[in-house]
Amino acid sequence: MKTQLEEIKVSAQADLNNVKTKQDVEAFRTKYLGKKGLLTSILKQMGTVSPEERPKVGQISNDVRDFLSQSIDSKITEIQNAELSKKLQAEKIDVTLPGKKHRIGRCHPSSLVLEEITDIFIGMGFSIVEGPEIESDYYNFEALNLPKEHPARDVQDTFYIDENTLLRTQTSSVQIRVMEKQKPPIYIISPGKVYRADEVDATHCPVFHQIEGLVVDKDITFSDLKGTLENFLKNLYGEDIVVRFRPHHFPYTEPSAELDMQCFSCRGKGCRLCKNEGFIEVLGCGMVHPQVLQNCNIDPNIYSGFAFGMGLERITMRKYKIDDLRLFYENDIRFLNQF
Ligand code: DAH
């Protein structure tokens, strides 16, 4: 029996050289340690061994069993390691390869100008507020002294959602929302999208951006309005600009004005850019109408204020000498890359 056990060990050693896969390991285990395996069958003959020999034979068979189990364990580890290194090999990255170049996007010109504008106003102590684009008739018109039959409503072709709900045609609606919520002193600007049912052409688009401004405090006069807006435009366009205030009418300001800037191109002489006017219109403004203050429960005998509104695209076009508004919405990378 001793020799049989020795033979098993020798044959197992030879077999081990051919064990390459998990299936091979299982076959090996069955061949030697299975119920009908070689070692098991030999051990069944233990009864025939003399009592003196038995401990010795027992010892050898234990050694052979240990040898077989250890061989199986180390084969399994070997196979698992091989699988892992194959996987790692497949996932290997060559860190010395040059990287892929990512194209970096640019800010849209109107975002750049808006950022500049908000920075200037923040520098003068203003805060930024936003209002809803879907607005009620009350905030967009009624509270701004534009009752239902007012002719000035026709100037702004409105997208109505229902009788009382619309896409705001002007950011002036935010003035009312702010004054309802906040008591003076108020120093805010409010940038945002506005909508008008206009045909698309080089200077019109049904959606564009405005920046509204509102100041309400004690002793605010037209000089404050002039000083604030002149300072703003000098910061944006340079110290040497020339501005003029031209009387105008807006229902929510009294008196009202439009601010024009001398044409950069001809310096006031008149050219194609300014349509021979010498000046270009920049924004609308005025002293907040006492009725508008009252609509928001602010006492016009104690407080006064000024307001203004400008079109962001127009200011951006002027700043970068862009002559067609449609370029703003086409997202042509050749256009956007220039800023
Ligand atoms: N809401 C005007 C527009 O859409 C612009 C404007 C004019 C706003 C005068 C104002 C203002 O706040 O005082 O054309």
Side-chain angles (χ1 to χ4, degrees), residues 156 169-172 175 196 210 212-213 250 252-253 257 283-286 307-310:
Q156 304 183 354
T169 59
Q170 49 186 357
T171 44
S172 304
Q175 289 187 28
R196 291 184 197 176
Q210 284 188 334
E212 193 75 16
F250 297 105
Y252 31 93
T253 44
L283 53 80
C285 57
F308 55 90
M310 61 190 119

Side-chain angles (χ1 to χ4, degrees), residues 22 41 69 98 101 153 185 189 195 272 305 307-308 311 331 338:
K22 282 182 182 160
S41 345
S69 324
K101 257 200 183 164
R153 282 191 179 210
I189 60 164
Y195 301 83
R272 213 171 60 113
F308 55 90
N331 279 337
Q338 296 175 49

Side-chain angles (χ1 to χ4, degrees), residues 227-247:
T228 305
L229 292 178
E230 273 183 30
N231 183 51
F232 156 63
L233 289 166
K234 284 188 171 160
N235 270 291
L236 187 67
Y237 288 112
E239 280 296 320
D240 57 344
I241 56 152
V242 180
V243 299
R244 76 175 183 200
F245 287 81
R246 181 169 37 78

Side-chain angles (χ1 to χ4, degrees), residues 87-323:
K87 191 170 163 230
L88 289 178
Q89 189 67 24
E91 288 174 359
K92 194 170 85 170
I93 329 170
D94 181 354
V95 289
T96 63
L97 282 175
K100 277 190 198 145
K101 257 200 183 164
H102 286 281
R103 281 226 207 137
I104 296 173
R106 300 289 183 103
C107 280
H108 194 279
S110 48
S111 302
L112 292 173
V113 173
L114 177 58
E115 204 169 301
E116 242 182 282
I117 293 174
T118 48
D119 278 354
I120 296 170
F121 278 104
I122 287 170
M124 291 195 278
F126 284 63
S127 340
I128 319 287
V129 285
E130 282 183 15
E133 288 170 29
I134 297 175
E135 191 50 285
S136 69
D137 186 281
Y138 178 76
Y139 289 105
N140 195 78
F141 292 128
E142 195 94 27
L144 290 161
N145 279 344
L146 281 148
K148 281 261 162 11
E149 305 307 326
H150 199 287
R153 282 191 179 210
D154 299 343
V155 183
Q156 304 183 354
D157 279 328
T158 310
F159 288 114
Y160 280 94
I161 291 164
D162 61 37
E163 207 184 324
N164 274 313
T165 321
L166 44 84
L167 294 179
R168 67 178 178 193
T169 59
Q170 49 186 357
T171 44
S172 304
S173 52
V174 187
Q175 289 187 28
I176 306 299
R177 290 189 172 271
V178 170
M179 285 191 283
E180 274 185 353
K181 271 222 235 74
Q182 187 188 329
K183 290 301 142 209
I186 296 170
Y187 291 80
I188 60 106
I189 60 164
S190 182
K193 286 195 188 92
V194 296
Y195 301 83
R196 291 184 197 176
D198 282 328
E199 291 288 331
V200 173
D201 64 24
T203 53
H204 292 89
C205 183
V207 47
F208 57 101
H209 297 79
Q210 284 188 334
I211 300 149
E212 193 75 16
L214 175 69
V215 168
V216 184
D217 205 343
K218 285 183 179 152
D219 304 321
I220 296 291
T221 66
F222 204 92
S223 310
D224 297 309
L225 162 63
K226 284 183 79 173
T228 305
L229 292 178
E230 273 183 30
N231 183 51
F232 156 63
L233 289 166
K234 284 188 171 160
N235 270 291
L236 187 67
Y237 288 112
E239 280 296 320
D240 57 344
I241 56 152
V242 180
V243 299
R244 76 175 183 200
F245 287 81
R246 181 169 37 78
H248 198 75
H249 171 75
F250 297 105
Y252 31 93
T253 44
E254 180 56 36
S256 305
E258 276 192 330
L259 184 155
D260 298 337
M261 247 168 63
Q262 196 178 65
C263 178
F264 313 101
S265 190
C266 62
R267 298 245 157 228
K269 288 195 197 78
C271 67
R272 213 171 60 113
L273 189 71
C274 59
K275 299 194 184 96
N276 274 325
E277 298 276 343
F279 278 82
I280 298 172
E281 180 203 318
V282 179
L283 53 80
C285 57
M287 301 306 291
V288 181
H289 197 294
Q291 183 60 51
V292 174
L293 292 174
Q294 216 139 39
N295 292 345
C296 304
N297 283 325
I298 293 178
D299 187 345
N301 296 315
I302 304 175
Y303 295 105
S304 54
F306 66 82
F308 55 90
M310 61 190 119
L312 176 61
E313 282 81 358
R314 235 198 227 190
I315 291 187
T316 307
M317 286 169 86
R318 197 153 308 147
K319 182 152 173 112
Y320 291 120
K321 304 199 165 55
I322 300 166
D323 61 3

